Amino acid sequence: MKNITVIGAGTMGNGIAHVFAQSGFPVNLVDISQESLDRGLKTIAGNLDRMLAKEKITEAEKTSTLNNITTFTSISEAVKNADLVVEAATENLDLKLKIFKEIDEHAPANTILASNTSSISITKIASVTNRPKQVIGMHFMNPVPMMKLVEIIRGYDTTNEITKSIMEMSEKLGKIPVEVNDYPGFIANRILMPMINEAIYSLYEGVAGVKQIDEVMKLGMAHPMGPLQLADFIGLDVCLSILEVLYDGFKNPKYAPCPLLVNMVTAGKKGVKSGEGFYDYSESKKAEKLAAQFQK
């Protein structure tokens, strides 16, 4: 595999494009508008500048990485010579199915199609293509340039050959791939999201405050970030979406999202991305100030 196409220039997409480009692959980065693409490139450049300041890369490596990325607003144009397409659009089933139909229609017959979905069935995504054996999940972790794990999800029809190829590709990016099977939430979010949801329930039921819950998990369980701060970082809307996938997939009430989470997302309090979640990020991206709702 040589030519890579990444669909989506948001938080995950620009991070995925960054690591492929930094590893020497030509990358076609696609989004619906040039404005979105420009934001994504600005983020990549900023992340490279931080790596440069820490002497993790050279100026030449920064320049080479940026030169490896070409932007497109047309999926059909961006995928026509792709060996691998990685979709990193919004975590919405209908949108992903639409995108995969379009990729399948325009990409070469041997192209591998991967999704960065964090919870949606790879088998369901593959079902709208004419190449289900070549569809696989590549669930990168945020922030992509820093996090080592790539959760590799096999769909029902994904072949051993495709899985092996994607595992090897992940290693070329300096990542550590872990293979899992295609069930709701896979492994990462099947375990993480119920913990976050239980933390929100503990707040909702008045067991403890935001900072107290986060401190217990950081100091007692050696978590680098408390579950409520982590939820803000992931995006409360994303957490809600994943919990809904888990609940719909298993029909088990233990996955039912906490009413407080539902209310916060409905009110537009989505965490860092909106400036407020469990913490107030209007002055700092660090979780230092509680949101007004949770101040006593």
Side-chain angles (χ1 to χ4, degrees):
M1 287 182 284
K2 180 182 177 183
N3 298 313
I4 312 299
T5 297
V6 177
I7 312 289
T11 300
M12 297 304 295
N14 71 58
I16 294 167
H18 174 159
V19 297
F20 273 106
Q22 190 177 332
S23 298
F25 293 93
V27 177
N28 289 347
L29 181 60
V30 191
D31 213 308
I32 57 174
S33 70
Q34 190 59 48
E35 182 183 3
S36 298
L37 290 164
D38 290 343
R39 280 198 303 269
L41 289 175
K42 183 178 179 181
T43 298
I44 294 169
N47 289 335
L48 289 167
D49 282 337
R50 279 187 284 276
M51 295 175 76
L52 186 62
K54 294 177 181 178
E55 299 184 346
K56 292 184 176 181
I57 60 169
T58 65
E59 186 69 47
E61 287 172 324
K62 174 193 169 182
T63 300
S64 174
T65 298
L66 292 172
N67 287 342
N68 280 338
I69 302 172
T70 305
T71 60
F72 292 80
T73 53
S74 165
I75 289 178
S76 60
E77 284 296 310
V79 304
K80 65 182 181 182
N81 295 314
D83 299 309
L84 170 65
V85 179
V86 183
E87 170 273 321
T90 304
E91 195 73 350
N92 176 284
L93 175 60
D94 291 338
L95 175 62
K96 289 187 185 295
L97 296 184
K98 179 176 180 291
I99 288 171
F100 269 81
K101 285 179 182 177
E102 187 170 358
I103 298 169
D104 186 52
E105 183 179 344
H106 296 285
N110 64 337
T111 304
I112 298 172
L113 311 186
S115 177
N116 181 59
T117 180
S118 56
S119 61
I120 294 171
S121 169
I122 298 301
T123 304
K124 184 172 287 187
I125 290 172
S127 71
V128 301
T129 75
N130 293 307
R131 61 183 94 191
K133 293 180 179 180
Q134 295 161 233
V135 180
I136 196 165
M138 290 184 79
H139 179 205
F140 290 83
M141 304 293 128
N142 186 26
V144 180
M146 304 297 295
M147 300 292 278
K148 288 290 186 182
L149 175 66
V150 182
E151 196 175 26
I152 306 298
I153 305 102
R154 294 183 64 136
Y156 191 85
D157 290 312
T158 310
T159 66
N160 291 334
E161 180 185 7
I162 295 298
T163 303
K164 182 174 182 290
S165 179
I166 293 300
M167 297 280 280
E168 290 172 352
M169 170 62 83
S170 299
E171 290 171 352
K172 288 178 183 177
L173 302 178
K175 303 301 184 186
I176 299 173
V178 177
E179 180 184 340
V180 306
N181 288 318
D182 184 24
Y183 292 97
F186 317 133
I187 288 297
N189 281 315
R190 183 170 177 174
I191 293 171
L192 174 64
M193 285 302 154
M195 183 193 75
I196 286 176
N197 200 40
E198 194 62 29
I200 300 171
Y201 262 114
S202 296
L203 177 66
Y204 174 64
E205 294 171 355
V207 179
V210 171
K211 286 191 174 180
Q212 289 76 15
I213 291 168
D214 279 351
E215 286 297 301
V216 165
M217 296 306 290
K218 286 190 290 184
L219 300 178
M221 311 304 166
H223 290 196
M225 190 181 294
L228 300 177
Q229 181 187 358
L230 179 57
D232 276 355
F233 180 72
I234 294 168
L236 300 189
D237 54 334
V238 175
C239 293
L240 177 59
S241 175
I242 295 169
L243 283 164
E244 287 173 338
V245 168
L246 288 166
Y247 185 56
D248 290 343
F250 291 113
K251 301 296 188 289
N252 189 322
K254 75 178 180 180
Y255 298 113
C258 178
L260 174 58
L261 174 62
V262 175
N263 276 351
M264 290 177 71
V265 173
T266 302
K269 312 300 183 184
K270 299 178 182 179
V272 176
K273 70 173 79 174
S274 69
E276 183 181 332
F278 296 104
Y279 295 87
D280 184 331
Y281 302 96
S282 58
E283 298 174 3
S284 169
K285 297 297 183 184
K286 296 179 181 179
E288 298 171 331
K289 180 182 177 184
L290 288 175
Q293 177 77 12
F294 304 111
Q295 293 178 15
K296 291 184 179 180

